[in-house]
Amino acid sequence: MAASVAGGGGVTGRAGRVWPVPGTPVVVRGWDPPATPYGPGHRGIDLAAPPGTEIRAVAAGRVTFAGPVAGKGVLTITLDGPGSPPLRTTYEPVRALVREGEHVSAGQPVAVIEAAAEPDADHPAEPGTDHPTEPGTGHPPHCAESCLHWGLKRGEAYLNPLALVHGGHVRLLPVWGV
């Protein structure tokens, strides 16, 4: 199920941070943290983004990794700001437009979404489909359609990246007449 996020696409009220994709972001898969460190779950969110979509830095920081991981392009930016260890955002599958060590600002183009692999000898089609498998895994692609997988970590702990762009606190309101 996909969900549009109101107020997306531009600078938010949360410390000048921006959404990594232009326009109104559509979340195609949400945050679903695992119950245990190696358990099943989704350690980030997926935003709809066709191949070639320009990806922007969510906040100012330093590029600490730009390269392939398991056959997919990955970009990691260690964010400026308080906290130890610092926050790190990850973006995949992307082709980086920046280099390791480079300082970036919020909203700066840092990557573009890579096209999914076509079925070939290294990426055979998933049985019964024309969808290639993920490199080295034999599993179906991460997203049925092209997307940006956006992650957030502090040290070894995975966090919900929506916390970077959604301000405020959740409040329960009374429901009258129930």
Side-chain angles (χ1 to χ4, degrees), residues 51-75:
T53 298
E54 186 176 85
I55 303 304
R56 301 173 299 185
V58 173
R62 186 157 312 277
V63 177
T64 48
F65 181 80
V69 174
K72 289 189 281 187
V74 176
L75 177 66

Side-chain angles (χ1 to χ4, degrees), residues 7 11-12 19 21 25 29 35 38 43 47 49 57 61 73 78 94-95 107 115 119 121 134 136 140 146 148 175:
V11 173
T12 70
W19 284 90
V21 296
R29 186 171 177 200
Y38 301 103
R43 294 162 176 86
L47 300 173
T78 299
V94 298
R95 179 177 50 82
E134 288 282 344
S146 180
L148 170 69
V175 178

